Amino acid sequence: MESLAVSGIVYLHPNLFMCIPRHLSSSVYQEFSMASTDLSLILNNAIANLYPSESQPNMLSTTVPMGRSPHLSEITFNSNSTMGSWDQVNPQMWTRQNVLEWIGFHVEESRFDASLLNMNYCDMDGVTLCTMSKETLMNMFGLVLGEQLHHSLESQKARYATDLSETGLSESELDLLDNILQNSFPYIHGPSLGPLLETVVVQASIPTDNTENTYSYFDEYTSQLTPESDHGYDSLTESFQSSNTGSFLNPSSPESNSSDSDPEYSEMPYSTSTKNFVKQESVETKKRGRGRPPKPRDSEGYEHFIQSKKSKHAPRGTHLWEFIRDILIHPEQNQGLMKWEDRRDGVFKFLKSEAVAQLWGQKKKNSSMTYEKLSRAMRYYYKREILERVDGRRLVYKFGKNSTGWRIEETGY
DNA sequence: AGGACCTTTCCTGATT
DNA sequence: CAATCAGGAAAGGTCC
């Protein structure tokens, strides 16, 4: 695990970060490096910067001049290792601040060396956190702290039994959803609402473990790391959108124990989702012609309902090649998905093609993405010279002259 | 409203 | 045989 300082990237906010190559800014580096032994300082600093509008009970007091980032030395904080408001809330509902407080609490409690902590890993909401397996947490936070966090998280989850009231949906929304589901799946019988909705919720939560985790987390910040944001990356909007819609689309059941036994990425984590269920039904019953199928009609229920609940405009600029590039240039979040074959020439290889496709699908809110489809989009890049062909080598691609932001000179590493 | 752009989806056939 | 590659065709979503 890389430390905050080693990465050369100082996160002040998911949408506000400083990229500080070590060789260019040794003073800044040293400052953070030395100061980082007290995570509370960093966390509180981050909280103060990230969530000025949110209350921060029991955590800190800051005296920071307006209009600029506070200097570490300007912050005084309450060093009492008290529980924050997270303790009274279902982890599913934790805000980023709650997660940050929770991590801070355990860091202090375990006397974890905060200099080893990557602040990147501290910025996630409860929904994202709850999808993380023990292994993922241990990868992110180290064996000791990771295990402690996992244990704490599971305890917190257990305190809040599965309850439809915790889906975040109002009663009327639940009724509406139930109606739609009943209409869409008349062959599914059972008492209204309960079993049917539970089926959907549980299935939607199936994508657990690394794929889900990596993505949600990765998604939250990599778009801000793009060396060149000249391709319309609207990271600001996107970052918040993904977390907001995600809470509904990927409602991890508090009961769903993320698998500790499968270190590999689940190849088809969404295979039992309602959407796929609908799609497979239609595919099996009749063959369609070439090309993209028509939009689903209202009668197709659940998925359409989900769509209508989503924001009307997904942010533009989520280009596939940029997504791929960002995985490659942030190996600390890569988790073995892809690797450089020839860093200088821009040759890279998919190691877990389906996992990458799933991540891409998640980014685009499309749970049925596959490597097959992703690779078709990749092949379109040949013509535009964003990618170059690499003949005879499976899963290997090469960046072309019209791609940017991946070269060592551009990334600094 | 319409067109450009960037996929997404499906398909057939070839190759590894 | 399964996975991947190649590329045509058609359509969707977003932006301008």
Side-chain angles (χ1 to χ4, degrees):
Chain A
M1 180 166 59
E2 284 188 321
S3 74
L4 169 71
V6 171
S7 74
I9 298 167
V10 177
Y11 284 84
L12 304 174
H13 185 272
N15 304 312
L16 175 62
F17 65 93
M18 292 189 292
C19 230
I20 307 174
R22 286 175 64 166
H23 64 285
L24 293 179
S25 186
S26 58
S27 59
V28 176
Y29 162 68
Q30 283 174 0
E31 187 175 351
F32 272 89
S33 185
M34 291 168 64
S36 62
T37 51
D38 189 334
L39 179 74
S40 291
L41 198 58
I42 295 174
L43 295 180
N44 290 331
N45 187 12
I47 291 169
N49 285 289
L50 305 193
Y51 309 103
S53 60
E54 291 187 44
S55 62
Q56 296 149 22
N58 302 326
M59 281 299 282
L60 76 165
S61 61
T62 58
T63 51
V64 179
M66 297 287 286
R68 66 186 178 89
S69 299
H71 190 280
L72 288 170
S73 62
E74 294 171 344
I75 299 175
T76 60
F77 66 98
N78 180 354
S79 62
N80 290 339
S81 174
T82 55
M83 290 190 188
S85 52
W86 54 267
D87 191 48
Q88 276 84 52
V89 183
N90 182 340
Q92 290 282 330
M93 305 303 180
W94 284 356
T95 63
R96 285 178 163 74
Q97 184 196 354
N98 290 143
V99 174
L100 207 50
E101 288 175 356
W102 173 73
I103 294 170
F105 173 80
H106 287 290
V107 163
E108 291 204 3
E109 199 172 67
S110 65
R111 304 195 177 283
F112 181 77
D113 180 0
S115 66
L116 300 173
L117 192 76
N118 187 335
M119 279 295 289
N120 302 350
Y121 296 140
C122 300
D123 178 42
M124 69 184 110
D125 57 22
V127 171
T128 304
L129 177 67
C130 284
T131 65
M132 294 187 170
S133 68
K134 182 179 181 181
E135 189 189 36
T136 304
L137 287 168
M138 286 167 75
N139 281 336
M140 291 166 65
F141 298 101
L143 299 181
V144 176
L145 180 61
E147 180 155 20
Q148 185 180 336
L149 290 175
H150 169 72
H151 187 258
S152 168
L153 182 59
E154 291 306 311
S155 301
Q156 290 293 326
K157 283 181 183 175
R159 287 174 60 190
Y160 299 90
T162 307
D163 186 338
L164 282 172
S165 66
E166 292 176 6
T167 60
L169 299 177
S170 70
E171 206 147 315
S172 59
E173 284 171 318
L174 289 169
D175 284 341
L176 177 58
L177 183 53
D178 192 39
N179 280 336
I180 290 168
L181 289 167
Q182 292 285 7
N183 290 334
S184 302
F185 306 107
Y187 39 84
I188 300 177
H189 300 294
S192 178
L193 191 58
L196 201 49
L197 271 182
E198 276 175 12
T199 299
V200 171
V201 170
V202 169
Q203 286 183 343
S205 71
I206 281 173
T208 57
D209 220 348
N210 296 347
T211 302
E212 169 80 2
N213 305 340
T214 307
Y215 183 75
S216 300
Y217 190 57
F218 176 81
D219 184 34
E220 288 294 324
Y221 73 90
T222 49
S223 59
Q224 284 99 54
L225 301 183
T226 306
E228 292 190 13
S229 292
D230 57 348
H231 296 86
Y233 256 51
D234 188 357
S235 51
L236 226 143
T237 322
E238 181 176 11
S239 184
F240 288 112
Q241 253 180 353
S242 72
S243 63
N244 292 339
T245 56
S247 62
F248 181 75
L249 289 172
N250 301 311
S252 298
S253 163
E255 289 180 334
S256 67
N257 293 324
S258 41
S259 167
D260 289 344
S261 59
D262 182 14
E264 289 295 306
Y265 291 87
S266 167
E267 286 302 294
M268 290 302 291
Y270 287 92
S271 59
T272 54
S273 75
T274 310
K275 178 177 180 177
N276 279 1
F277 186 55
V278 172
K279 287 173 72 72
Q280 284 161 10
E281 280 285 300
S282 61
V283 164
E284 281 168 14
T285 50
K286 68 169 185 179
K287 275 209 163 191
R288 54 172 290 283
R290 297 187 131 213
R292 193 169 177 151
K295 284 179 80 172
R297 291 184 301 275
D298 286 356
S299 62
E300 290 180 71
Y302 178 72
E303 182 62 18
H304 181 70
F305 175 74
I306 298 292
Q307 292 291 341
S308 66
K309 294 291 285 184
K310 285 192 268 187
S311 66
K312 276 211 150 90
H313 298 289
R316 191 197 170 103
T318 317
H319 293 165
L320 173 59
W321 71 269
E322 293 169 300
F323 169 79
I324 296 297
R325 175 199 63 193
D326 288 346
I327 291 177
L328 284 161
I329 65 178
H330 298 296
E332 71 277 8
Q333 292 302 313
N334 192 329
Q335 300 203 12
L337 296 177
M338 306 182 70
K339 70 166 184 177
W340 288 110
E341 291 270 291
D342 187 327
R343 180 72 176 83
R344 189 154 288 283
D345 283 351
V347 181
F348 59 91
K349 179 174 185 174
F350 285 80
L351 299 177
K352 295 187 170 113
S353 55
E354 286 301 333
V356 174
Q358 287 297 319
L359 290 181
W360 173 239
Q362 261 195 308
K363 188 166 188 68
K364 301 294 289 291
K365 314 265 190 295
N366 174 0
S367 59
S368 62
M369 179 52 61
T370 62
Y371 177 72
E372 183 81 24
K373 296 175 203 167
L374 182 152
S375 64
R376 180 69 191 98
M378 295 284 280
R379 290 193 292 274
Y380 271 124
Y381 288 143
Y382 295 145
K383 215 168 199 172
R384 296 162 58 197
E385 297 189 278
I386 288 168
L387 294 177
E388 288 177 27
R389 272 196 190 76
V390 177
D391 290 328
R393 302 205 53 203
R394 290 184 157 212
L395 303 172
V396 176
Y397 298 81
K398 179 182 180 183
F399 284 119
K401 65 181 185 187
N402 290 334
S403 59
T404 57
W406 57 269
R407 294 174 183 84
I408 296 170
E409 311 87 73
E410 296 171 282
T411 61
Y413 51 91

